[in-house]
Amino acid sequence: MAGLRGALLALLFGCSGVAAVWPQPQSLSVAPAGGCRLSAARFRFGYANSSAVVAGCAVLDQAFQRYWKLLFPAGQKDPEKGHFGDPSCGELLVFVTKPGCDGYPSLDSKENYKLSVSDEQMFLSADTVWGALRGLETFSQLVWRADYGTFYMNKTDVVDFPRFPHRGLLLDTSRHYLPLRAILETLDAMAYSKLNVFHWHIVDDPSFPYESMAFPDLSWKGAYQPVTHVYTPSDVKTVIEYARLRGIRVISEFDTPGHTLSWGPGVPGLLTPCYSGPKLTGSYGPVNPILNSTYQFMGKFFAEVSAVFPDVYIHLGGDEVDFTCWKSNPKIQAFMEQMGFGQDYRKLESFYIQRLLDIVSSYGKGYVVWQEVFDNGVKVKPNTIIHVWKQTPVTYQKELSNVTKSGYRALLSSPWYLNRISYGQDWLAAYQVEPLSFEGSPEQKALVIGGEACMWGEYVDETNLTPRLWPRAGAVAERLWSNQTVRHVQDAYTRLRDFRCTLLRRGIRAQPLFTGYCDYEFNTL
Ligand SMILES: *[C@@H]1O[C@H](CO)[C@@H](O)[C@H](O)[C@H]1NC(C)=O
Ligand SMILES: *[C@@H]1O[C@H](CO)[C@@H](O)[C@H](O)[C@H]1NC(C)=O
Ligand SMILES: *[C@@H]1O[C@H](CO)[C@@H](O)[C@H](O)[C@H]1NC(C)=O
Ligand SMILES: *[C@@H]1O[C@H](CO)[C@@H](O)[C@H](O)[C@H]1NC(C)=O
Ligand SMILES: *[C@@H]1O[C@H](CO)[C@@H](O)[C@H](O)[C@H]1NC(C)=O
């Protein structure tokens, strides 16, 4: 009877005893027997003696609370019957080498950690609080539920670190407004998959939801709705702090000189008036690069942006500049002649971008730009990061090869436009990418600092954001975190399916990969 009941419960709880971790750690060994029972009544997180970071560190104090709740969700009891023999796990002691808790994660932050669970103790050590966060995530994924629903942790050793330091996800809040809660939920799921950069493509042609303190008219006149469809200074602070507490950097993108139609109403004279022959058409093109007032505005605007977003890097866009309007404008034609640019409008773009880069670097910021800035031969500082997104006219491999040959650091997004969907398991294509499969020396390969999954907003708002992102963005997360050799598709499928179930259990509406079920379906939480 007990055997049958055990078997039924095993079925019910999917008691495989297999601890899957997503993304796959660099080194993971789980013992086939031994370990301990985790009970909500007894289990605690704590700081190890002589840790440089101790209680009072908000990043870890709050992470302890979050992960405790994730391990023991309200309403899921931890029955102890049937496991009297197994020892009960005590504390997970966390040891951090370097002091520092109040700062922000950066491109140089170390995220390595070691986790060891034995009969005697559970110990997590990391160089920084950011690494400790990654280790807590891994720990939480290693806890499984045995027969009778008991929470269980095997003897385990993990040594882990990311392959690439920049593992990003782009959200586009201009084409559709995403409410704050959708952004915060995305940050949660990013932390679950160890992504560490939120690239906030905050404004674009359709709308300007960023509420500027220096230029309130930008969102007043450029947002879809100036009260309900904006990010106030306090919203922006909330996002930045929520991200920080999860070890996630926030890189804002204010794309210019193209993609700026929504800036126009709030800043008269900023955009180029377009002509048809000698007549004004009434429509506007990219930012007007020939006026001093343009640079005065940019100076003031980016002074604010530099202060509001603490990350060293700002994304300055620079993609898809349409030269048609510039070409039509007689004042711009005259300026081109005066500057000796001939008919090469890339030189005008270059003129603009260079002045903008000077402004932004005068505030001590570094910058990321889309690949066209490089393609168009704009002179940029050697420390510029070039964001590769196109598939044509040359493949992204060719582009990466070219960018790194010129000595620039690169980020890859071309194969990771997750807004594009197709029938079937389209996470596979994203998963099978190898970012370094381009021709180049080891020095060139070392210049690829990572990549980003992009979720452009033409057809995406809060209703479909989460299922479209998850678990598909997980494919990119593993590619950027795990060893290059981790690419076994069947193994990945099994773990990603489990990870998706973990996301459901944590309240994230991740879509299914294929036929199947989860022990805890979304509506049974
Ligand atoms: C964890 O331990 C249980 C027994 O306690 C065992 O059945 C299971 O296979 C172990 N998990 C792994 C991944 O070895
Ligand atoms: C940590 O320090 C306390 C007090 O000094 C001591 O009681 C405890 O045994 C120490 N724990 C470990 C794991 O060394
Ligand atoms: C713009 O500024 C430059 C240098 O500061 C100056 O030489 C030029 O006359 C100014 N142009 C206008 C139209 O004010
Ligand atoms: C590589 O970059 C150089 C200089 O930026 C450019 O002239 C060349 O056309 C590029 N080649 C490819 C294949 O993109
Ligand atoms: C990745 O895995 C391979 C094969 O297991 C190993 O040789 C290599 O050292 C690993 N790379 C890192 C950075 O650990």
Side-chain angles (χ1 to χ4, degrees):
M1 224 11 227
L4 180 62
R5 189 175 143 78
L8 279 174
L9 283 166
L11 205 66
L12 186 62
F13 290 112
C15 153
S16 54
V18 173
V21 182
W22 190 278
Q24 179 69 29
Q26 302 289 343
S27 153
L28 166 71
S29 63
V30 178
C36 54
R37 219 168 10 93
L38 247 72
S39 106
R42 272 186 291 275
F43 174 75
R44 292 286 175 271
F45 292 102
Y47 292 89
N49 287 352
S50 73
S51 166
V53 171
V54 297
C57 163
V59 172
L60 289 184
D61 287 354
Q62 292 189 27
F64 291 171
Q65 290 186 14
R66 281 199 308 278
Y67 280 105
W68 199 89
K69 282 194 199 135
L70 290 174
L71 285 173
F72 309 109
Q76 288 180 26
K77 293 192 298 266
D78 55 333
E80 302 200 6
K81 61 183 168 190
H83 280 268
F84 295 116
D86 296 319
S88 177
C89 307
E91 274 186 312
L92 173 65
L93 291 174
V94 178
F95 175 88
V96 179
T97 315
K98 287 199 195 111
C101 186
D102 302 327
Y104 291 90
S106 72
L107 181 59
D108 306 318
S109 294
K110 293 266 171 293
E111 296 175 275
N112 55 307
Y113 67 91
K114 285 184 190 167
L115 173 66
S116 94
V117 175
S118 67
D119 284 339
E120 292 82 42
Q121 64 168 355
M122 302 197 289
F123 198 73
L124 169 64
S125 66
D127 283 352
T128 66
V129 288
W130 317 121
L133 288 177
R134 306 298 168 241
L136 288 171
E137 178 56 42
T138 298
F139 175 80
S140 73
Q141 293 187 19
L142 282 165
V143 173
W144 56 282
R145 297 194 79 175
D147 330 8
Y148 307 107
T150 309
F151 294 95
Y152 210 87
M153 180 81 195
N154 288 35
K155 283 189 199 174
T156 301
D157 274 298
V158 182
V159 179
D160 203 8
F161 52 87
R163 182 179 173 204
F164 294 102
H166 184 123
R167 304 177 308 279
L169 190 156
L170 174 151
L171 291 186
D172 168 5
T173 56
S174 172
R175 292 183 173 87
H176 282 98
Y177 178 77
L178 295 171
L180 204 57
R181 60 174 178 267
I183 296 177
L184 302 185
E185 181 180 278
T186 302
L187 291 169
D188 281 331
M190 286 175 69
Y192 302 156
S193 52
K194 300 189 174 77
L195 290 170
N196 67 353
V197 180
F198 169 41
H199 174 167
W200 195 351
H201 187 88
I202 190 166
V203 301
D204 203 299
D205 285 324
S207 78
F208 198 105
Y210 171 77
E211 210 175 270
S212 163
M213 290 167 279
F215 300 97
D217 271 356
L218 278 166
S219 61
W220 192 248
K221 297 186 175 160
Y224 283 134
Q225 210 293 336
V227 177
T228 54
H229 288 52
V230 290
Y231 303 105
T232 64
S234 137
D235 291 340
V236 171
K237 273 206 189 102
T238 300
V239 168
I240 293 169
E241 180 62 5
Y242 198 90
R244 184 186 85 84
L245 290 170
R246 287 154 184 78
I248 297 171
R249 301 162 58 203
V250 178
I251 296 188
S252 61
E253 177 180 355
F254 289 89
D255 191 356
T256 68
H259 288 281
T260 46
L261 284 182
S262 68
W263 303 49
V267 190
L270 181 66
L271 302 184
T272 308
C274 314
Y275 284 72
S276 171
K279 282 210 298 257
L280 281 165
T281 63
S283 62
Y284 292 90
V287 164
N288 191 335
I290 69 170
L291 302 179
N292 287 350
S293 57
T294 291
Y295 302 98
Q296 282 156 10
F297 164 78
M298 291 296 171
K300 219 169 148 193
F301 181 71
F302 278 101
E304 172 182 324
V305 168
S306 303
V308 166
F309 293 91
D311 201 87
V312 168
Y313 290 94
I314 300 183
H315 203 302
L316 294 174
D319 59 320
E320 300 182 308
V321 184
D322 182 355
F323 297 145
T324 324
C325 183
W326 279 353
K327 282 181 186 163
S328 78
N329 183 305
K331 289 193 184 123
I332 292 200
Q333 291 162 10
F335 184 81
M336 292 284 289
E337 202 165 301
Q338 182 195 328
M339 297 299 287
F341 291 166
Q343 286 303 304
D344 190 351
Y345 283 81
R346 288 180 314 174
K347 289 193 173 142
L348 182 59
E349 178 189 357
S350 186
F351 170 84
Y352 168 81
I353 299 268
Q354 280 174 26
R355 292 189 66 174
L356 181 66
L357 299 188
D358 287 343
I359 289 170
V360 171
S361 43
S362 77
Y363 302 130
K365 292 285 179 174
Y367 34 79
V368 188
V369 290
W370 295 111
Q371 72 176 81
E372 286 96 321
V373 173
F374 169 78
D375 295 345
N376 290 349
V378 176
K379 253 203 228 103
V380 294
K381 294 193 193 311
N383 65 353
T384 305
I385 298 170
I386 310 289
H387 198 162
V388 173
W389 69 278
K390 292 168 75 160
Q391 303 267 26
T392 52
V394 297
T395 60
Y396 67 80
Q397 287 93 346
K398 181 85 197 138
E399 182 76 10
L400 282 174
S401 171
N402 211 359
V403 166
T404 55
K405 193 166 196 163
S406 305
Y408 296 113
R409 286 173 298 168
L411 279 174
L412 180 62
S413 278
S414 313
W416 291 324
Y417 270 36
L418 300 183
N419 47 296
R420 295 175 178 275
I421 45 175
S422 61
Y423 192 70
Q425 299 204 39
D426 63 355
W427 65 277
L428 275 167
Y431 188 75
Q432 286 170 317
V433 169
E434 170 41 51
L436 302 188
S437 69
F438 61 88
E439 263 178 58
S441 64
E443 291 74 23
Q444 276 175 264
K445 310 251 162 139
L447 290 169
V448 178
I449 59 171
E452 293 184 357
C454 298
M455 185 55 69
W456 296 102
E458 286 88 349
Y459 303 98
V460 176
D461 71 3
E462 194 195 9
T463 61
N464 58 352
L465 172 71
T466 300
R468 193 173 285 206
L469 262 181
W470 308 104
R472 295 161 76 235
V476 182
E478 175 151 300
R479 185 52 54 233
L480 292 172
W481 178 280
S482 305
N483 190 310
Q484 175 168 9
T485 57
V486 177
R487 28 189 335 110
H488 191 282
V489 166
Q490 188 54 44
D491 169 70
Y493 173 79
T494 310
R495 284 182 301 107
L496 188 56
R497 189 194 56 195
D498 287 0
F499 179 60
R500 183 220 165 214
C501 292
T502 299
L503 292 175
L504 291 196
R505 208 163 60 235
R506 295 177 179 189
I508 308 282
R509 290 176 183 267
Q511 69 176 12
L513 292 179
F514 189 50
T515 52
Y517 77 106
C518 291
D519 298 340
Y520 298 92
E521 297 291 358
F522 187 78
N523 62 359
T524 56
L525 293 171

